[in-house]
């Protein structure tokens, strides 16, 4: 039986692949509300010349526009890589209900990889599930960085 999270994570993976083709670190994210995709994002830091152009922030911003509110209760955010501190902070501020992520991020992950921002005192909590489509997410990142280092022809 397939998890109901897998199709949404595959949508996020398609966005991560799009980011890779554009020369961006391959991270994709989708926001889902009541079973409908309401936000999409992919890394665009290089293209936008913007340190805040993370996939998660794009997906959250689009979800807020589409839902007509900044409080994103009822939203699940799917992201291919464990989010960084900035993105977890945005998820807490937006009051998302749930975060589902793919590959672990031991160097910068803020949901247990490097640290767990949710363990600090906040006025909001969300549930999380890591490791959904983990191998596909990790493989995309490995391939991207191997190509950047010239290890793959």
């Amino acid at each position: 039986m397939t998890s109901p999270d897998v199709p949404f994570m595959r949508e996020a993976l398609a966005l991560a692949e799009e980011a890779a083709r554009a020369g961006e670190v391959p991270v994709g994210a989708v926001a889902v509300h009541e079973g409908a995709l309401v936000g999409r994002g992919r890394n665009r830091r290089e293209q936008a010349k913007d340190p805040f152009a993370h996939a998660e922030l794009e997906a959250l911003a689009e979800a807020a526009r589409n839902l007509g509110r900044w409080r994103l209760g009822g939203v699940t955010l799917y992201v291919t890589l464990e989010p960084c501190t900035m993105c977890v902070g945005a998820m807490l501020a937006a009051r998302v209900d749930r975060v589902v992520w793919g590959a672990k991020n031991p160097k910068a992950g803020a949901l247990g990889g490097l640290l767990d921002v949710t363990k600090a005192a906040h006025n909001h909590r969300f549930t999380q599930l890591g490791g959904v489509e983990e191998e596909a997410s990790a493989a995309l990142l490995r391939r991207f960085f191997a190509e950047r280092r010239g290890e793959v022809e």
Side-chain angles (χ1 to χ4, degrees), residues 12-66:
L13 276 163
L15 290 163
E17 289 169 358
E18 187 180 305
R21 287 191 298 275
E24 300 280 353
V25 174
V27 178
V30 297
V32 176
H33 181 259
E34 296 179 352
L37 260 151
V38 294
R40 292 172 176 79
R42 69 166 180 83
N43 272 2
R44 293 180 199 274
R45 290 188 306 173
E46 300 299 330
Q47 177 184 357
K49 309 280 188 273
D50 181 351
F52 305 109
H54 287 213
E56 300 94 324
L57 300 184
E58 282 196 351
L60 290 172
E62 186 174 294
R65 285 191 302 273
N66 286 333

Side-chain angles (χ1 to χ4, degrees), residues 19 41 48 53 80 94 115 140 145 147:
T80 58
L115 56 102
L140 182 57
F145 287 110
E147 288 171 2

Side-chain angles (χ1 to χ4, degrees), residues 6 9 27 34 44 49 64 73 84-85 96 100 129 133 142:
V6 170
M9 187 59 80
V27 178
E34 296 179 352
R44 293 180 199 274
K49 309 280 188 273
C84 71
T85 304
V96 299
V100 178
L129 175 63
E133 292 292 293
R142 280 192 304 269

